């Protein structure tokens, strides 16, 4: 009723010019809100972001991905790379050799093992971890932490203990892309590009499904496993690959790190060593503001984690059935044996704070989004999506959290 009364008051102005002027002043805030909403939506996935990423040299490996620890490797002789029997459609035979040369130079090295060990021992020189979650089910317990480095995206650490599982089963389970497609509904494509039958190192291509407002993401991942007794260090990280052409869709993710530390653990039921502990360290630059990504991770973390345990139990049954294992699971069983204590004694610790990625901004993108843009965008979104109070309340609630995000996240 207030809106109708205001319109009637404007129409009763004595001159036509005054009516036009008042209508313009009345509509201006609405159009500004719509424009701000469009700008905010565009800023989530701008076209120039793809161009900016494409302009980064593919030979550059971010510091957080491929740390230089000032440490000479164990000088393990890495054999020549053997091509997989099936080549990816995007790689021609004339360019396959260049990919092999890139893989031979530095796919996953002993420096990556030392970096993962530093994370496990909490001696990597990074900021302190802040606990986010502590949940459990009858078959698993889960804890998660987050930290925000001075440069680069947020980093996550989790500890999961799976009942009635062995380290070898978890190692194969996380490596088995063929079976992962059955339980991980975010993974829509997985393909092996390169493999080394001596070290077990692999280069794989993943395409993961993202929410409706983002395009799918492509990952070129180098991975390798080290074994120390029945303890496994499983490193996966994004690697450059100039032979795989970049496309606008799916959008390529350059900065990616996700690695596991797997070992036996005491069961919470009776204390016997029948459980398995998995420490996961993960970070990636998905190409969206990091504060928005943090909120999404926090809201969806437990739901995603709960899907892993049913997948693991199905995998245990699959392996118990005697069916042939996949090629990825076979490669997971080719490990580089290492004496971790020897490895630690052969080099000095490196402080991550002394290493800054060249292509990371000084402050996380999205932390400086002005409040009026967020609130204005929420107004436009609420007015255009739905007239119901529930939808508006949710949208304004999220906008209010983003408006104060610098203080709380």
């Amino acid at each position: 009723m207030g809106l109708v009364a205001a319109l009637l008051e404007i129409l009763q102005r004595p001159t036509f010019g005054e009516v036009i002027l008042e209508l313009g002043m009345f509509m201006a805030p609405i159009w500004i809100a719509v424009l701000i909403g469009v700008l905010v939506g565009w800023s989530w996935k701008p076209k120039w972001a793809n161009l900016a990423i494409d302009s980064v040299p593919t030979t550059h490996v971010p510091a957080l991905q491929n740390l230089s620890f000032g440490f000479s490797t164990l000088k393990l002789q890495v054999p020549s790379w053997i091509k997989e029997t099936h080549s990816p459609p995007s790689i021609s035979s004339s360019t396959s050799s260049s990919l092999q040369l890139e893989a031979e130079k530095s796919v996953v090295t002993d420096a990556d093992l030392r970096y993962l060990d530093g994370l496990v021992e909490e001696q990597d020189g990074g900021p302190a971890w802040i606990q986010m979650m502590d949940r459990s089910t009858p078959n698993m317990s889960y804890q998660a932490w987050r930290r925000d480095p001075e440069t680069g995206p947020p980093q996550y650490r989790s500890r999961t203990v799976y009942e009635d599982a062995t380290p070898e089963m978890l190692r194969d389970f996380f490596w088995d892309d063929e079976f992962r497609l059955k339980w991980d509904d975010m993974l829509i494509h997985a393909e092996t590009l390169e493999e080394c039958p001596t070290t077990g190192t692999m280069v794989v291509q993943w395409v993961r499904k993202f929410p409706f407002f983002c395009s799918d993401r492509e990952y070129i991942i180098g991975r390798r496993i080290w074994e120390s007794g029945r303890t496994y260090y499983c490193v996966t990280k994004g690697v450059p690959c100039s032979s795989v052409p970049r496309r606008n869709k799916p959008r390529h993710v350059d900065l990616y790190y996700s690695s596991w530390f797997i070992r036996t653990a005491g069961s919470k039921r009776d204390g016997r060593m029948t459980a398995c502990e998995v420490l996961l360290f993960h970070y990636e630059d998905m190409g969206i503001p990091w504060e928005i990504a943090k909120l999404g991770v926090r809201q969806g973390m437990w739901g995603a984690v709960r899907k892993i345990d049913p997948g693991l139990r199905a995998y245990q049954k699959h392996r118990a059935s005697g069916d042939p294992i996949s090629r990825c699971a076979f490669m997971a069983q080719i490990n580089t044996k290492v004496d971790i204590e020897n490895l630690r004694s052969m080099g000095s610790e490196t402080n991550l704070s002394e290493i800054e990625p060249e292509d990371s901004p000084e402050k996380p993108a999205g932390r400086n989004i002005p409040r009026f843009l967020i609130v204005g965008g929420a107004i436009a979104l609420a007015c255009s999506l739905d007239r119901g109070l529930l939808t508006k309340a949710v949208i304004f609630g999220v906008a209010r959290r983003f408006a104060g995000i610098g203080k709380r996240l």
Side-chain angles (χ1 to χ4, degrees), residues 160 162 167-177 180 183 206 223 225 234 236 260-262 276-280 308 312 315 328 332:
T160 312
Y162 295 95
E168 292 75 21
M169 185 64 68
L170 265 299
R171 174 200 63 189
D172 296 356
F173 172 67
F174 286 124
W175 234 240
D176 196 333
D177 291 345
R180 180 182 284 269
W183 63 267
W206 278 11
R223 60 192 193 185
I225 301 175
C234 310
T236 76
W260 299 270
F261 171 77
I262 305 174
C276 185
E277 177 189 33
V278 178
L279 297 182
L280 168 67
I308 300 177
L312 171 62
Y315 190 68
C328 289

Side-chain angles (χ1 to χ4, degrees), residues 12 23 31 80 103 108 119 122 144 185 194 225-226 247 270 281 287 302 324 328 349 352 363 368 381:
Q12 290 174 0
L23 283 175
W31 283 108
S80 61
V108 187
L119 290 171
E122 298 189 40
D185 55 9
E194 289 286 333
I225 301 175
W226 284 264
R247 297 166 291 177
D270 54 17
F281 301 91
W302 179 237
C328 289
E349 297 176 1
L352 286 183
K363 293 184 179 179
N368 297 323
L381 187 61

Side-chain angles (χ1 to χ4, degrees), residues 110-129:
D110 294 318
D112 297 299
L113 169 61
R114 295 196 69 246
Y115 176 45
L116 175 56
D117 182 58
L119 290 171
V120 171
E121 298 297 319
E122 298 189 40
Q123 295 179 354
D124 63 302
W129 295 98

